[in-house]
Amino acid sequence: MTGATGPGDPPGEFELIARHFAPLAGPGAFGLADDAATLDVPAGQSLVVTKDMLLEGVHFFRHDAPASIAHKALAVNLSDLAAKGAKPLGFLLGFGRTRAQDEAWCAGFASGLARLAKASGCALLGGDTVNAAALTLSVTAFGTVPQGRMVQRQGGEPGDAVYVSGTIGDAALGLALRIAPDVAWGKALTEAQRAFLFDRYLHPQARLALAPALLAHASGAMDVSDGLVGDGDKLASRLGGRFEIGDVPLSPAARAALLAEPALIETILTGGDDYEILGAVAPQEAQAFEQAAREAGVPVTRIGQLGEAGGVRLWCNPDGSERAFTRRSYAHSF
Amino acid sequence: MTGATGPGDPPGEFELIARHFAPLAGPGAFGLADDAATLDVPAGQSLVVTKDMLLEGVHFFRHDAPASIAHKALAVNLSDLAAKGAKPLGFLLGFGRTRAQDEAWCAGFASGLARLAKASGCALLGGDTVNAAALTLSVTAFGTVPQGRMVQRQGGEPGDAVYVSGTIGDAALGLALRIAPDVAWGKALTEAQRAFLFDRYLHPQARLALAPALLAHASGAMDVSDGLVGDGDKLASRLGGRFEIGDVPLSPAARAALLAEPALIETILTGGDDYEILGAVAPQEAQAFEQAAREAGVPVTRIGQLGEAGGVRLWCNPDGSERAFTRRSYAHSF
C-alpha cells in the first residue's frame, strides 16, 4: 500500500497507513511497506478473485460512519466470494480519499475494516492510496475453492430449483427511508423495524456460512446486489426460468411496509444491496442443500426454477399472471 | 465484470462490456459474465498481487486519448510486477466511468488495453463498472514468482549497490511541458525531444524484461513512480544510503532541458511517473546483474549504495556536498 504526498495534502499519508492500516496486514503483505504482496495458494486450490468499487453518493452517503463504509466495502466483496463457494483469504484496498478523510475518519474506517476482516479471516494485503475529489473505495478480495470448483453464475441446468437466502428488499427500503424519512409507509413501522432496515442498508452481511453448502450442492450462484429481478435475470440468462413473487422471502419489517404501501413490491424486488445469495440447485440435490443451509444457520427459500435453453424469464404474481417491471435493476445512485 | 444500469445512464453497460472488454478475457474469466474469476497458480509459484488507482486530473488528463489512458493504467501495475521479479498473469479492472466514456471512448480504451495486455501476457480477468463523477480506474494485477522469492522493497543489505534502469525525469518534464508548452526551456528542445518527453509521460513502459535479472540478482527493488528521491528514500529507509546525483541517467532530451534550465534538476529527481526500476544488488552479484540486464536489453546505471542499519539517506552533488530538496516526492496532481 503506497501513497504520494505533496504540498497540498493533509500531512502524514504514510503515517496514517502505518498507524491505522498496517495492524490489519496479513502474511505476505510485508507490513504494507511494499508495492505488492504475495499470496500462496494451497495445493489443490484455485484462487477466486473479485473486485467491487464503491463511491460516495452512489454506494454510501458521504456522512455515513466511516466504520460502516469500511464494513460495506469489504462485505460486498466477501458476498461475491460466498456466492462462489469460496473461503476468504485476503484483500487489497484502493483508497481514493478526499480532505474529509482525516486522521479521526481513518481511525474509524480502519476499526470497521479490522472487525470484519478478522471475523471473516480475510487479512489486508496491500493497496493504493490516492487523492480524489470524492471518496472512492476499490476492494479486490481473494478466496479459495477446491481446484476448478468455483460456483459459476451460469452453471445452472434446465429444471434446477432456484433458491435465495435470507430476506429480500430490506436494504432498498432502508435506503428509501433514509432519503424520505417522513414517507407515509414509514410511519407504519416500529422503531425497531426502521432500525432493522437501516442496518440492512448500512451493514450488509456476507453469507460466508453458506459457501460450503453452495460448493457441495449448487450448480450456479451469485449474490443479489443489483436487485432480485435483474440478478435473477442474470442467473437465468442462459436457460430462462420462472420466479414466483409470492415465494420471495420478506422480513417482518418489509411485510409491514408492503402492507402499508403495496406499490413497494417494486422497490423490494428491484432495489439493490440485498447481498443475499441466489443459487440454482439440481432437484436431486435440493434436500441436501436445504439441510446443509439449515446446519449453517442460513435460511434459504425456493423461489423458482430454471427453464430450458433459450427460454424466457418470467416473474409471476401469486395468481399466475406475469409481472412487468418499470426497471429490473437498481441504478445504485441517489 | 459487472455493472449496474439505471434510468439516467448511457445505455448498454452490459453490451459495452460484452463488445469491448469480453474479447480481452483470459482463462478463468468466464467471459466476464461472472462476479468473480479464478486463477490457478502453478505448483511451486507464489502469486504476486498489486493495485494502483488512476484518477482523471491526477494521473492523466481528461482529454488524453483513451488508448493512452488504458495503457498507463495497466502499465503502472505491470511496472510493480516487474520490480518484484514477477511474470504477469492477469488483471482486474475497476472502471468508474462518467458520461464522457461513451461507446467510441470505450472502444479506444479497450484497444489500448488489449494491445498492452497481449504484449505482456496479462489477460483481463474481470472487474467492476460503476458510474462516477470523474473517470476512475483501479487495476489489480497478478503475477507469479518462484515460491517465496518476491523481490521485496526492503530486502537490501548493507553495502549493496543501488541501480536504476533507463533514464529518470523524462515523464515529469513531459508533464511540465504539457502544463506550460511555452516555457523558455522547452524552446531549447527539438520537436523530437519534446515528443519523446510527452510519450514518456503518456506511455510508461513497464520494465518486464528486467524481472528475471532482478529475481536472480537483486536483494531489493521497487519501481520509481513517485520520484527518484522519494522512492530512493523508501528503498533505503531501513539502512540509509548515499546516492550520487551526478550518476543519475538522463536522456538527451532531459540533458538539453537541464542545460537550458539548471533548476529543472529538482523536477527530474523528484517528479513522478518514471516507472523505471530501482534495485539493490549485493557487490558480489553486481557484475552478473549488469550482464543479465544487458542481455535483457535494459540499460541499468549504478547510482548509489545502501548504508548500515539506521543510517541516513544522502543525495550528493558531484562535488560531494549534500543536496536538499524542497519536496522529495511528487504530489501526483496538476
Side-chain angles (χ1 to χ4, degrees):
Chain A
M1 169 169 272
T2 60
T5 56
D9 302 340
E13 188 81 53
F14 288 106
E15 288 69 22
L16 280 179
I17 292 173
R19 199 169 307 142
H20 299 297
F21 294 103
L24 284 65
F30 306 107
L32 306 184
D34 214 299
D35 293 301
T38 57
L39 267 182
D40 286 312
V41 180
Q45 303 276 305
S46 287
L47 193 73
V48 176
V49 299
T50 185
K51 182 186 192 79
D52 272 336
M53 293 176 83
L54 289 86
L55 279 70
E56 157 186 304
V58 182
H59 303 90
F60 55 85
F61 289 80
R62 182 184 300 216
H63 297 296
D64 282 345
S68 298
I69 295 172
H71 174 96
K72 189 163 189 172
L74 182 53
V76 304
N77 281 278
L78 294 175
S79 175
D80 279 323
L81 291 183
K84 306 290 104 186
K87 184 171 180 284
L89 195 61
F91 70 104
L92 298 170
L93 172 67
F95 182 26
R97 71 184 189 121
T98 73
R99 285 169 189 280
Q101 279 68 58
D102 60 8
E103 171 116 26
W105 193 98
C106 290
F109 183 83
S111 75
L113 208 54
R115 205 174 308 127
L116 182 55
K118 197 173 170 195
S120 56
C122 195
L124 181 60
L125 294 173
D128 190 25
T129 301
V130 299
N131 296 321
L135 176 58
T136 306
L137 299 167
S138 172
V139 171
T140 303
F142 306 102
T144 52
V145 290
Q147 199 143 23
R149 293 276 308 283
M150 189 186 97
V151 181
Q152 296 176 41
R153 181 198 285 178
Q154 301 193 326
E157 297 295 332
D160 282 1
V162 176
Y163 286 87
V164 72
S165 66
T167 58
I168 292 297
D170 301 319
L173 294 176
L175 173 59
L177 268 187
R178 292 193 71 178
I179 294 171
D182 297 326
V183 69
W185 59 266
K187 299 192 202 321
L189 305 183
T190 65
E191 272 312 304
Q193 286 172 334
R194 291 173 70 103
F196 169 82
L197 297 178
F198 290 146
D199 186 67
R200 287 273 286 161
Y201 173 77
L202 276 170
H203 302 117
Q205 302 299 317
R207 292 295 195 178
L208 291 167
L210 194 62
L214 293 163
L215 201 56
H217 306 292
S219 56
M222 61 185 298
D223 74 338
V224 184
S225 54
D226 295 335
L228 183 67
V229 172
D231 288 337
D233 284 353
K234 290 175 208 159
L235 186 79
S237 64
R238 199 165 50 85
L239 299 171
R242 182 187 163 100
F243 297 88
E244 305 295 338
I245 290 172
D247 293 340
V248 172
L250 301 183
S251 68
R255 285 188 190 281
L258 194 57
L259 198 66
E261 177 48 88
L264 284 176
I265 189 67
E266 184 109 358
T267 304
I268 288 170
L269 293 175
T270 68
D273 282 343
D274 292 309
Y275 300 106
E276 295 293 349
I277 308 288
L278 192 63
V281 177
Q284 66 275 19
E285 295 285 325
Q287 201 183 335
F289 173 69
E290 290 183 22
Q291 185 176 333
R294 205 160 36 235
E295 284 167 7
V298 180
V300 295
T301 308
R302 184 181 164 146
I303 61 165
Q305 191 171 21
L306 296 182
E308 299 291 334
V312 295
R313 297 177 295 271
L314 287 181
W315 289 82
C316 299
N317 293 310
D319 66 4
S321 64
E322 186 187 350
R323 171 134 203 146
F325 297 93
T326 43
R327 62 177 189 189
R328 295 170 85 93
S329 258
Y330 183 61
H332 270 308
S333 58
F334 47 84
Chain B
M1 171 170 271
T2 59
T5 56
D9 302 340
E13 188 80 55
F14 287 106
E15 288 69 21
L16 280 179
I17 292 173
R19 200 170 304 142
H20 300 296
F21 294 103
L24 283 66
F30 306 106
L32 305 184
D34 214 299
D35 293 301
T38 57
L39 268 181
D40 286 312
V41 181
Q45 303 275 305
S46 286
L47 192 74
V48 176
V49 299
T50 186
K51 181 186 193 80
D52 272 336
M53 293 177 83
L54 289 86
L55 279 70
E56 156 184 305
V58 181
H59 303 90
F60 56 83
F61 290 79
R62 181 184 300 215
H63 297 296
D64 283 344
S68 298
I69 295 172
H71 175 96
K72 189 163 190 172
L74 181 54
V76 304
N77 281 277
L78 294 174
S79 176
D80 280 321
L81 291 183
K84 306 289 103 188
K87 183 170 181 287
L89 195 60
F91 70 104
L92 298 171
L93 172 67
F95 183 25
R97 72 185 190 122
T98 73
R99 287 170 187 279
Q101 278 68 57
D102 60 8
E103 173 115 25
W105 193 99
C106 289
F109 182 83
S111 76
L113 208 56
R115 205 174 307 126
L116 183 56
K118 196 173 171 195
S120 56
C122 196
L124 181 60
L125 294 173
D128 190 26
T129 301
V130 298
N131 296 322
L135 177 58
T136 306
L137 299 167
S138 172
V139 172
T140 303
F142 306 101
T144 52
V145 290
Q147 199 143 23
R149 293 277 309 284
M150 187 186 98
V151 182
Q152 295 177 40
R153 180 198 286 179
Q154 302 194 325
E157 296 294 332
D160 282 2
V162 176
Y163 286 88
V164 72
S165 67
T167 57
I168 292 296
D170 301 320
L173 293 175
L175 173 59
L177 269 186
R178 290 192 74 178
I179 295 171
D182 297 326
V183 70
W185 59 265
K187 299 189 202 321
L189 305 183
T190 65
E191 271 312 304
Q193 286 171 333
R194 291 174 68 102
F196 169 80
L197 297 179
F198 289 147
D199 186 66
R200 287 274 284 160
Y201 173 77
L202 275 170
H203 302 118
Q205 302 299 318
R207 291 295 196 179
L208 292 168
L210 195 61
L214 293 164
L215 201 56
H217 306 292
S219 56
M222 60 185 298
D223 74 337
V224 184
S225 54
D226 294 335
L228 183 65
V229 172
D231 288 337
D233 285 353
K234 288 175 208 159
L235 185 77
S237 64
R238 198 166 49 86
L239 299 171
R242 183 188 162 99
F243 298 88
E244 306 294 338
I245 290 172
D247 293 341
V248 172
L250 301 182
S251 68
R255 285 188 188 283
L258 194 57
L259 199 65
E261 177 48 88
L264 284 175
I265 188 67
E266 184 108 0
T267 303
I268 289 169
L269 293 175
T270 67
D273 283 343
D274 293 309
Y275 300 105
E276 295 293 350
I277 308 289
L278 192 64
V281 177
Q284 66 274 19
E285 295 286 325
Q287 202 183 335
F289 173 69
E290 289 183 23
Q291 187 177 333
R294 206 160 35 236
E295 284 166 8
V298 180
V300 295
T301 309
R302 183 181 164 146
I303 61 164
Q305 191 171 19
L306 295 182
E308 300 290 335
V312 296
R313 298 177 294 271
L314 287 180
W315 289 81
C316 299
N317 293 310
D319 66 4
S321 64
E322 187 188 350
R323 173 137 200 144
F325 297 93
T326 43
R327 63 177 188 189
R328 297 170 85 93
S329 257
Y330 183 60
H332 270 308
S333 57
F334 48 81

